[in-house]
Amino acid sequence: MNQQSAPDIDDSKAPLLEHLIELRQRLVWAVIALVIAFAISFYFADEIFGLLVVPLTDAFPPGEGKLVYTKLYEAFFVEIKVAMFAAFLLAFPIISNQLWSFVAPGLYANEKKAFLPFLFATPILFGSGAALAYYIVMPTAFRFFLGFEGETGGLTQEALPAMGDYLSLVMQFIFAFGICFQLPVLLLLLNRAGLVSREQLKGLRRYMVVGAFVIAAILTPPDIVSQFLLGVPMILLYEVSLAIMWFTERKRTQVE
């Protein structure tokens, strides 16, 4: 009897073992893509950081402004962070493709059809948020910050941003806007899963307005300009999500 039960146990473990082997292979390819992207990004780290510095350069008067580093190793570690940041963005399509290739076989055809738009929308929305931060929010915020230069009590008050602090600020802006622009993906997924309805979200609209500015205050630097420029797009994205839900519900009703 024991001999008969052993094959059954082995058979039950076989699919799990196969999934774990496949997961390991997917992770290996994702890591390889990340390592290659890091090597490329590190080679061009100076050029990439130069692009990130442009909003600050434009905020200073022509020919003025400088970046300093107060630790001997700071400039080197800034290049490492820049390379890691760029490597993740470069490797994201491959990483997401490996994730999708692992998950897709376990989904039904209608589930794949429903999930694919969100997979494509995620990087597009992140890029849109990052672009808004880079081209509009950061230049506006940096001009506001530099407006405090001048004289105070007979002493010169001058902005001397450190490289590491500046990079941290830029990454804070980009990730804050990129992540918050995922709001439609989150809401539509919750709606598709049946966890929230359009009517429920409409009822929460007033709380969303307050919540958007609270989240903006947490994720952005403590200035009203950055908070406003993140809070308002979040409210607009919330309304866009409701409009998409209305359109899909109407379309579903017409099909039925």
Side-chain angles (χ1 to χ4, degrees), residues 107-151:
L107 300 176
Y108 293 107
N110 59 336
E111 292 174 335
K112 292 180 183 179
K113 186 178 179 181
F115 188 74
L116 267 177
F118 298 107
L119 188 65
F120 286 107
T122 297
I124 294 174
L125 288 172
F126 186 93
S128 300
L132 176 64
Y134 181 84
Y135 289 106
I136 297 177
V137 179
M138 286 195 290
T140 305
F142 294 162
R143 290 190 188 97
F144 173 77
F145 296 147
L146 293 176
F148 292 95
E149 285 190 314
E151 289 192 5

Side-chain angles (χ1 to χ4, degrees), residues 6 90 110 119 132 195 202 206 216 248:
L90 285 175
N110 59 336
L119 188 65
L132 176 64
L195 298 177
K202 283 176 62 179
R206 67 182 70 178
T248 53

Side-chain angles (χ1 to χ4, degrees), residues 5-15:
S5 61
D8 295 334
I9 296 174
D10 292 340
D11 290 342
S12 65
K13 290 183 177 180

Side-chain angles (χ1 to χ4, degrees), residues 203-221:
L204 296 173
R205 182 179 278 135
R206 67 182 70 178
Y207 301 104
M208 173 57 196
V209 174
V210 177
F213 287 102
V214 170
I215 293 173
I218 294 172
L219 296 180
T220 61

Side-chain angles (χ1 to χ4, degrees), residues 58-76:
D58 293 341
F60 275 108
E64 298 184 18
K66 63 176 67 173
L67 279 174
V68 302
Y69 60 95
T70 56
K71 304 179 183 69
L72 290 177
Y73 53 81
E74 184 175 1
F76 171 72

Side-chain angles (χ1 to χ4, degrees), residues 10-255:
D10 292 340
D11 290 342
S12 65
K13 290 183 177 180
L16 176 61
L17 183 60
E18 292 175 2
H19 287 308
L20 291 176
I21 293 174
E22 182 183 0
L23 178 61
R24 184 187 64 180
Q25 292 174 340
R26 300 294 180 188
L27 289 174
V28 167
W29 282 114
V31 170
I32 291 174
L34 196 60
V35 170
I36 295 174
F38 176 80
I40 296 172
S41 300
F42 186 73
Y43 183 80
F44 294 102
D46 285 337
E47 289 79 2
I48 297 171
F49 188 59
L51 291 175
L52 296 177
V53 171
V54 168
L56 180 62
T57 304
D58 293 341
F60 275 108
E64 298 184 18
K66 63 176 67 173
L67 279 174
V68 302
Y69 60 95
T70 56
K71 304 179 183 69
L72 290 177
Y73 53 81
E74 184 175 1
F76 171 72
F77 277 102
V78 163
E79 290 196 355
I80 294 290
K81 291 178 181 178
V82 167
M84 291 177 62
F85 176 60
F88 177 78
L89 296 180
L90 285 175
F92 179 79
I94 297 176
I95 295 173
S96 61
N97 178 264
Q98 293 300 316
L99 177 63
W100 173 252
S101 299
F102 177 73
V103 173
L107 300 176
Y108 293 107
N110 59 336
E111 292 174 335
K112 292 180 183 179
K113 186 178 179 181
F115 188 74
L116 267 177
F118 298 107
L119 188 65
F120 286 107
T122 297
I124 294 174
L125 288 172
F126 186 93
S128 300
L132 176 64
Y134 181 84
Y135 289 106
I136 297 177
V137 179
M138 286 195 290
T140 305
F142 294 162
R143 290 190 188 97
F144 173 77
F145 296 147
L146 293 176
F148 292 95
E149 285 190 314
E151 289 192 5
T152 302
L155 298 176
T156 301
Q157 189 169 283
E158 183 181 5
L160 293 173
M163 295 178 65
D165 293 338
Y166 176 74
L167 179 62
S168 297
L169 183 61
V170 168
M171 293 176 70
Q172 181 181 354
F173 271 116
I174 290 176
F175 277 111
F177 278 78
I179 291 172
C180 287
F181 267 56
Q182 303 301 315
L183 182 63
V185 173
L186 175 62
L187 294 178
L188 292 171
L189 278 174
L190 292 175
N191 177 256
R192 184 65 64 92
L195 298 177
V196 294
S197 65
R198 179 172 168 271
E199 294 301 321
Q200 289 175 322
L201 293 175
K202 283 176 62 179
L204 296 173
R205 182 179 278 135
R206 67 182 70 178
Y207 301 104
M208 173 57 196
V209 174
V210 177
F213 287 102
V214 170
I215 293 173
I218 294 172
L219 296 180
T220 61
D223 67 285
I224 192 65
V225 176
S226 303
Q227 296 168 12
F228 179 80
L229 291 175
L230 178 57
V232 171
M234 286 183 66
I235 295 171
L236 294 177
L237 289 171
Y238 190 83
E239 296 298 328
V240 169
S241 302
L242 293 178
I244 294 174
M245 290 178 193
W246 174 82
F247 178 78
T248 53
E249 289 175 0
R250 183 182 178 187
K251 186 177 180 180
R252 192 181 304 119
T253 302
Q254 291 176 349
V255 172

